[in-house]
Structures are given as structure tokens and as C-alpha cells.
Amino acid sequence: SPSSGINAEYGKDEVTGGATQNTLRVAQWYIGTPDSTVIVGCVGGDGVGDVLVEAMRKEGVKTEYLVDRTAKTGLCAVLITEGAHRSMVTRLEAANLYTYDHLVSRKVWEHVEKAECFYVAGFMLNYSFDCMIKLGTHAAEENKCFVMNLGAPYLSSLFKDKMEKVLPYCDIIVGNSDEVLELGRNFGFPSSDLYDTIRTLAETNKINEKRKRMVMITGMKILLFCIKMGHSRSFQ
């Protein structure tokens, strides 16, 4: 069991993740046709990676994992308490070891060339920045959609220079209110107002001008706030 170290007296559920894979699973469910989505990342040689492969297979998501036999597969423990509060502790391990060489390998790059949309997590700024630039460049040149999830508030501070280089490739930016406000502070946006910050982010420099940027932000009194081409829409 991936979480065998957790005290057995606590009620616990084990689910396959993380957030990027869950996004692909939803996309695959929506599209319906098997193998319409492909997940790329790094897993360890501890058997947990096999669990992920099988979970993705059952839901029609094709996997092209890099397997690092010297590392353990990343895990995340989440403590959820009353009132929907949660605490998370993550062990990244193999997730931090994805390589540029694997991305540009013939087997993986064939999927890149066939793909119409790319979804990356902001956490890749830490360990796969070169992969983000490679995918962003391909997307811009071929007029494909490039999506980034901001990931966490600290990323726009700790990896500001890298994020500054990736943002111009982004056709769609996804995040929550804490993440976008912290990005605005770190990038010196003129207003600290949430909605003004979202609008400024939507209007920042963009490489592929054929696509107008959409910014999708959650975590407010409304469920979702979207802005594109100066037009905004809220979803309850």
C-alpha cells in the first residue's frame, strides 16, 4: 500500500493523482474516445507507478511515463478536517526527475506532434523548465493551445524569472485567487484588486497572437471567474 506508513487507526482513502493526472482524467471522460489524452511524467520503480498506469488505463488515458528505478514515486498525504480545511504534505521524489531527453524522444514527441492542446503544472518550473519552453514553442509555432496551472502561490516568487519566460506562451492560465494575487504582487501589477489582477494577467505579453488569452480563477465567493479578450464571466 502506498500509504502503509500511516497509522491504521485513522480512516483513510487512497486515490490516484496528482492534480495534472486528475485533469487529464476529466478531459478524457469528457472526450470519450479512448487514448485521446496522454500523460507524461516520471514515476519510480517501486510499484506505485504501476498503480498509476493501471488507473489511467481503466479511464482511457494513455501513459508515457519515464521510469526512474533509483527513485520512489511521488506521494501526497492530505488531512481534511471539518469545514473543508485541508493540510497537504508532498513527497515529490521521482516527479522531480523528469527529463528533457524523454520529452523529445521519438516515442513521446510523436504524441506532441499529434496533440492539439498541452496542459502543464506550474511545479514544472522547478524541475522541467526546459520542457515547458519546448512545448510552449511548439504550441505557438503550430497554433496549438498551451495551458498552465499556476500550481501554488510560492512558485511565482521562487521561480519568478522562469515563470516570466513561460507566461507569454500561455493561451489559458488556471489557478486560484491566492495564486493569482501572489503572482500580481511578485510581478508588480498596478492593482492589488483581485479582478484587476486577473485582467492584467490576461493582457500581459503573448507570443501567439492568433489566440487570445483566457484566465480562469477559482476560490472566490463565486465558483469560477473567467476573462478573455476583455470580456468576463462568473460561474456560481
Side-chain angles (χ1 to χ4, degrees):
S1 167
S3 61
S4 58
I6 299 177
N7 194 321
E9 70 181 78
Y10 293 98
K12 65 180 185 298
D13 292 318
E14 294 178 0
V15 296
T16 53
T20 302
Q21 289 192 131
N22 290 339
T23 300
L24 265 290
R25 293 161 79 182
V26 172
Q28 178 60 52
W29 165 80
Y30 182 81
I31 296 170
T33 306
D35 293 339
S36 293
T37 57
V38 182
I39 181 74
V40 177
C42 185
V43 298
D46 54 2
V48 180
D50 295 334
V51 174
L52 295 178
V53 171
E54 179 60 17
M56 296 301 106
R57 185 193 66 78
K58 287 182 178 179
E59 299 193 41
V61 179
K62 188 175 180 61
T63 58
E64 289 294 351
Y65 295 123
L66 167 64
V67 179
D68 190 319
R69 300 293 177 186
T70 68
K72 295 180 179 180
T73 302
L75 295 174
C76 181
V78 183
L79 175 64
I80 303 176
T81 59
E82 293 183 7
H85 298 292
R86 69 176 185 173
S87 297
M88 303 175 66
V89 179
T90 301
R91 187 190 75 188
L92 294 173
E93 296 284 354
N96 258 345
L97 303 177
Y98 188 70
T99 66
Y100 180 87
D101 289 342
H102 185 262
L103 174 67
V104 298
S105 65
R106 181 177 178 180
K107 187 176 182 181
V108 175
W109 197 254
E110 285 180 350
H111 292 300
V112 173
E113 292 180 330
K114 294 177 182 177
E116 297 177 14
C117 181
F118 306 99
Y119 179 95
V120 299
F123 296 105
M124 289 183 68
L125 293 167
N126 181 22
Y127 57 87
S128 297
F129 168 69
D130 52 351
C131 295
M132 298 176 82
I133 295 297
K134 181 68 173 178
L135 286 174
T137 300
H138 173 80
E141 290 176 348
E142 301 297 326
N143 194 27
K144 298 179 178 181
C145 185
F146 186 82
V147 187
M148 182 174 71
N149 190 313
L150 295 177
Y154 73 87
L155 293 174
S156 63
S157 173
L158 194 59
F159 304 108
K160 178 184 176 183
D161 291 344
K162 291 181 178 179
M163 183 173 283
E164 207 164 22
K165 294 177 181 177
V166 172
L167 283 177
Y169 292 103
C170 296
D171 300 303
I172 301 176
I173 298 173
V174 182
N176 62 44
S177 54
D178 291 335
E179 292 162 355
V180 75
L181 285 173
E182 186 64 17
L183 185 152
R185 283 190 287 268
N186 291 323
F187 280 71
F189 285 5
S191 173
S192 59
D193 175 79
L194 176 59
Y195 296 99
D196 287 343
T197 300
I198 296 172
R199 290 186 177 90
T200 300
L201 180 58
E203 295 168 0
T204 54
N205 180 48
K206 197 169 181 303
I207 291 175
N208 182 10
E209 296 181 350
K210 295 178 182 178
R211 292 177 178 269
K212 300 299 181 181
R213 178 176 294 132
M214 177 186 292
V215 180
M216 305 172 63
I217 301 298
T218 62
M220 301 168 282
K221 294 181 180 179
I222 56 177
L223 179 62
L224 176 67
F225 180 80
C226 297
I227 184 166
K228 182 179 181 181
M229 296 178 65
H231 301 288
S232 60
R233 184 176 180 185
S234 301
F235 298 86
Q236 299 295 334

